[in-house]
Amino acid sequence: MDKIRAKLLSLPRRHKRILQVLTDISLVWFALWMAFVVRLGLDELVNPFTQHVWLFVSAPVIAIPLFIRFGMYRAVMRYFGNDALIAIIKAVTLSSLILGVVVYWYSNHQNVVPRSIIFNYWWLSLIMIGGLRLAMRQYFMGDWFSAAQHVPFTSRDDGLPKVAIYGAGAAGNQLVAALRMGRVMRPVAFIDDDCGIADRVISGLQVYKPKHIQQMIDNTGAQEILLAIPSSNRGRRREILGFLEGFPLHVRSVPGFMDLASGRVKVDDIQEVDIADLLGRDAVPAQADLLEHCITGQSVLVTGAGGSIGSELCRQILTLRPTTLLLFEHSEFNLYSILSELEQRVARESLSIRLLPILGSVRNPDKLLDVMKTWRVDTVYHAAAYKHVPMVEHNIAEGVLNNVIGTLNTAQAALQAGVANFVLISTDKAVRPTNVMGSTKRLAELTLQALSRELAPVLFGDTSNVSRVNKTRFTMVRFGNVLGSSGSVIPLFHKQIKSGGPLTVTHPKITRYFMTIPEAAQLVIQAGSMGQGGDVFVLDMGEPVRIVELAEKMIHLSGLSVRSEKNLHGDIAIEFTGLRPGEKLYEELLIGDNVAATQHPMIMTANEDHLSWDVLKVKLSELLAAVDQDDYARVRQLLRDTVSGYTPDGEIVDWIYQQRRLEP
């Protein structure tokens, strides 16, 4: 059967059409002959070669051109659907009516043909021509019994993974059709919360209530559950995932409607459960006026445009229609990647936006100033930073130069170029930091806070002592970890689960705040539109998440169990590796308790201590001198003196510092 199917599928399109036409002619003749049998019975069998020859000639002559006109030979049999079925009904009905007119006219002149023959011919043709096409669709899909699970003697094991679909709505039914056609998984059941369809059969699959999942597993042998509930909010999805954790099933999902509508994914693109669903927090709708204030119709620059946050900022800025979007990035590959993506979108949506990719480093102040002046930048989103805590701890000089001096260079260039809005992407690790990364980000905040309070500052490094008029509104936005960013624990856990474990967690009590990248970027844009200058905005990150609990949930939703002292035969173990250099057990978002609400429910503003610009410039000079001399003990001391709450934990682990200590 497989060889015949493959042979038929490999035929040229012309040969397939000829075969269909010949088959339809045969079916028309057979339907007409059977119409006589139904009307006259077997005792008066009609011989088509001697009786009513004109009728058996007329039927295909009338029908086949109509079949061609209605596109019955253009439809691909494997994807035969409702539209093709309606076309068949129209074509057969019209051909039967025309044949009825011919019979009426011809019967007045020669042999009389019973009028009921036409009605019999009509419904027999529908059954034969439409039924054959439906049967051939199943045949070419290679799944004769996909919709016949409850028919006796039709059950079989084809070796495909058995999956249950959670959600018997439109998305679930589309998914079932896609899975049957793709023959990668075998759908065996639906699960749905709607009591009105419980225990019914949809698309040949029985619908189970959630409380009967174990019964469904026993009856069908399902190994996975695919979530087909794209319209559900995150709170509801979190409830469902929490309930499914108790079953030995791998849980995955189909994309949401927005992803489907945008064409980025198809309904049968199965993906791992979105970790954002485990957090169960729905994003607050954006406020259009805040989104557009600093972007629409303006020239916008994003530093670190190829990074996790920078690239998402670029995507969202593009939808807000700036006149020019400058992508400033020091990594050629990252810049190429985001540029290619944005260029395709600009072409697809016919956007009148200039995209300008600029290779450069925020450590080059002249380049920054030249770019901002040349393209008359109105708004800067400064996302360029080194943010991986252990990496910066081992490379202190680069952390200081990139995070502190890079921010200083970008801010001073913005001030000199008359940029109206400057938004710094900060981090919760800047609050009472225990690491170099956090302390340098807090020092970057202090730099902007100091500059924002100066109406005409003398810039750092300006030996001419010329005051510059400050027209720039500096703001900072502080938030925690973003899901899926470079260095995030989530991709690491996915990789470790695929390789059979173990999952590595630094400490059993370690917690982190999490937010999705799109939500964080959207809130950054809105926060940047608020405030008078020098404001530190803090995003509402929800409740902190214990990393070990997150690891356990990911193991369970992969259909596996955690190996522990209580469960020695579990699938995947969780190992605790100890805190890495500079890592904290708990992160915070506020240095003090002085926090106020804003016009956005997810954004707060913090009133925190700051330094004067003249004092800060002295501190920056001393810090740069210590970095130039590779005096990292001095660097640590200066950061401790400048950054409130900085309490480094452990010895200095900078590679250069350690190596020099080993030298005689």
Side-chain angles (χ1 to χ4, degrees):
M1 294 290 285
D2 290 338
K3 290 182 179 179
I4 296 173
R5 185 189 303 116
K7 181 66 176 177
L8 289 172
L9 290 174
S10 65
L11 288 174
R13 184 65 182 155
R14 183 180 178 184
H15 292 178
K16 291 178 182 177
R17 287 181 175 176
I18 292 172
L19 187 60
Q20 283 182 283
V21 170
L22 294 176
T23 302
D24 283 343
I25 292 173
S26 302
L27 290 176
V28 166
W29 280 340
F30 186 60
L32 189 57
W33 182 76
M34 283 299 297
F36 278 101
V37 172
V38 171
R39 172 65 179 82
L40 303 175
L42 294 173
D43 296 334
E44 300 183 37
L45 284 177
V46 172
N47 187 341
F49 298 106
T50 58
Q51 300 170 274
H52 307 297
V53 175
W54 62 273
L55 188 58
F56 282 88
V57 171
S58 300
V61 169
I62 294 169
I64 298 303
L66 286 172
F67 291 177
I68 295 172
R69 179 67 183 83
F70 279 86
M72 288 172 53
Y73 303 117
R74 291 197 299 269
V76 179
M77 202 69 70
R78 281 170 290 172
Y79 308 115
F80 186 82
N82 293 337
D83 292 341
L85 202 57
I86 291 171
I88 290 173
I89 293 172
K90 291 178 179 179
V92 170
T93 301
L94 186 57
S95 67
S96 299
L97 290 173
I98 295 173
L99 186 63
V101 172
V102 172
V103 167
Y104 175 79
W105 178 81
Y106 201 85
S107 296
N108 290 334
H109 297 81
Q110 297 192 21
N111 297 334
V112 176
V113 175
R115 305 292 168 83
S116 61
I117 293 296
I118 299 303
F119 176 73
N120 291 339
Y121 166 74
W122 172 73
W123 65 263
L124 285 166
S125 295
L126 283 178
I127 291 173
M128 292 180 184
I129 295 172
L132 179 65
R133 279 166 168 76
L134 289 172
M136 294 307 292
R137 180 184 69 177
Q138 293 301 109
Y139 172 70
F140 287 126
M141 286 173 61
D143 199 358
W144 280 100
F145 305 109
S146 62
Q149 286 187 311
H150 304 284
V151 178
F153 312 113
T154 61
S155 61
R156 60 188 174 83
D157 186 4
D158 51 13
L160 298 177
K162 296 177 180 179
V163 298
I165 313 297
Y166 200 114
N173 279 273
Q174 290 179 50
L175 180 59
V176 167
L179 292 176
R180 285 172 173 167
M181 195 169 296
R183 293 187 55 76
V184 177
M185 300 177 181
R186 181 174 179 79
V188 294
F190 276 119
I191 304 165
D192 203 282
D193 303 318
D194 187 353
C195 295
I197 60 174
D199 300 324
R200 301 247 184 124
V201 174
I202 297 178
S203 296
L205 305 178
Q206 182 166 342
V207 182
Y208 291 84
K209 294 180 181 178
K211 64 181 180 180
H212 295 151
I213 288 181
Q214 189 57 55
Q215 178 188 342
M216 180 273 297
I217 296 173
D218 297 336
N219 292 345
T220 64
Q223 302 157 291
E224 293 192 28
I225 286 184
L226 305 181
L227 299 181
I229 46 174
S231 59
S232 296
N233 59 38
R234 283 185 187 155
R236 178 60 188 143
R237 293 172 76 90
R238 183 183 184 182
E239 289 179 16
I240 293 171
L241 291 172
F243 177 73
L244 295 177
E245 261 193 86
F247 300 97
L249 296 165
H250 185 183
V251 182
R252 294 195 280 176
S253 66
V254 294
F257 283 139
M258 293 306 296
D259 290 328
L260 295 172
S262 66
R264 290 195 293 267
V265 292
K266 303 186 292 296
V267 73
D268 56 333
D269 284 342
I270 308 301
Q271 56 195 20
E272 295 298 330
V273 169
D274 189 350
I275 302 302
D277 293 336
L278 295 178
L279 305 181
R281 196 163 54 89
D282 289 307
V284 173
Q287 298 181 17
D289 58 328
L290 292 179
L291 285 176
E292 297 170 356
H293 180 71
C294 297
I295 294 174
T296 303
Q298 301 183 46
S299 178
V300 181
L301 168 68
V302 178
T303 68
S308 304
I309 290 293
S311 60
E312 182 60 29
L313 279 171
C314 292
R315 295 183 192 100
Q316 296 198 23
I317 288 169
L318 205 65
T319 65
L320 298 170
R321 309 296 176 100
T323 57
T324 306
L325 177 56
L326 297 103
L327 316 174
F328 196 91
E329 172 63 53
H330 80 284
S331 167
E332 182 185 30
F333 176 75
N334 288 353
L335 182 60
Y336 171 77
S337 298
I338 187 61
L339 176 66
S340 300
E341 178 187 333
L342 297 181
E343 281 181 335
Q344 291 176 17
R345 185 170 165 190
V346 167
R348 185 172 62 248
E349 299 177 16
S350 301
L351 302 176
S352 56
I353 298 172
R354 267 195 312 178
L355 285 177
L356 298 171
I358 300 173
L359 273 174
S361 170
V362 292
R363 309 235 306 251
N364 185 342
D366 294 334
K367 178 69 173 284
L368 286 165
L369 179 58
D370 191 26
V371 168
M372 293 184 199
K373 280 186 173 180
T374 302
W375 282 283
R376 298 178 181 176
V377 172
D378 298 296
T379 302
V380 172
Y381 292 96
H382 181 50
Y386 290 143
K387 61 182 181 179
H388 195 272
V389 170
M391 195 72 73
V392 175
E393 208 69 18
H394 288 298
N395 298 273
I396 293 175
E398 293 302 307
V400 171
L401 293 173
N402 202 62
N403 293 357
V404 179
I405 305 305
T407 300
L408 174 69
N409 292 339
T410 312
Q412 292 194 151
L415 190 149
Q416 289 175 275
V419 172
N421 308 292
F422 187 103
V423 183
L424 169 67
I425 314 302
S426 192
T427 171
D428 58 353
K429 294 174 179 59
V431 179
R432 281 183 279 273
T434 59
N435 51 68
V436 174
M437 194 282 277
S439 63
T440 55
K441 290 298 286 184
R442 177 56 187 151
L443 192 49
E445 290 181 356
L446 288 169
T447 301
L448 296 193
Q449 287 176 305
L451 270 177
S452 67
R453 286 168 171 79
E454 296 291 326
L455 296 177
V458 175
L459 300 184
F460 179 81
D462 188 354
T463 55
S464 62
N465 287 327
V466 176
S467 297
R468 310 278 181 171
V469 178
N470 186 357
K471 298 180 180 179
T472 305
R473 183 174 59 90
F474 294 100
T475 56
M476 294 135 275
V477 186
R478 188 187 291 162
F479 55 92
N481 294 26
V482 287
L483 296 170
S485 66
S486 58
S488 171
V489 71
I490 308 302
L492 175 63
F493 283 169
H494 276 307
K495 184 178 179 181
Q496 289 175 337
I497 289 172
K498 287 182 180 179
S499 63
L503 267 63
T504 53
V505 179
T506 56
H507 193 282
K509 292 184 179 181
I510 193 168
T511 65
R512 289 292 181 266
Y513 290 98
F514 284 102
M515 179 178 282
T516 66
I517 295 177
E519 184 182 6
Q522 187 181 82
L523 289 172
V524 163
I525 293 172
Q526 294 177 87
S529 299
M530 298 189 289
Q532 301 303 312
D535 306 83
V536 177
F537 292 106
V538 180
L539 303 188
D540 181 357
M541 302 290 294
E543 294 299 319
V545 178
R546 285 186 65 201
I547 302 300
V548 68
E549 291 180 359
L550 189 62
E552 290 172 352
K553 286 180 181 292
M554 292 181 65
I555 292 172
H556 291 151
L557 293 174
S558 297
L560 304 170
S561 60
V562 179
R563 189 189 313 142
S564 63
E565 293 180 359
K566 297 180 180 179
N567 183 17
L568 297 176
H569 302 290
D571 300 300
I572 294 182
I574 296 177
E575 291 185 358
F576 299 104
T577 58
L579 292 175
R580 297 172 295 179
E583 197 167 39
K584 294 171 67 176
L585 276 181
Y586 312 101
E587 297 293 358
E588 304 166 272
L589 290 167
L590 296 170
I591 295 175
D593 298 324
N594 194 354
V595 63
T598 68
Q599 63 193 88
H600 195 291
M602 297 285 287
I603 303 173
M604 301 170 289
T605 181
N607 187 6
E608 297 179 347
D609 294 335
H610 62 275
L611 300 175
S612 69
W613 178 236
D614 289 335
V615 170
L616 187 65
K617 283 196 294 183
V618 173
K619 297 289 187 181
L620 291 175
S621 296
E622 293 176 355
L623 186 63
L624 268 180
V627 168
D628 288 341
Q629 297 166 13
D630 293 331
D631 187 351
Y632 298 116
R634 176 66 175 155
V635 168
R636 172 179 277 195
Q637 185 59 49
L638 285 167
L639 289 174
R640 184 186 284 115
D641 295 341
T642 309
V643 176
S644 175
Y646 174 46
T647 52
D649 185 21
E651 297 295 323
I652 297 174
V653 294
D654 183 271
W655 297 125
I656 295 176
Y657 179 84
Q658 288 185 324
Q659 182 62 30
R660 287 185 175 173
R661 290 188 66 185
L662 294 174
E663 293 175 355

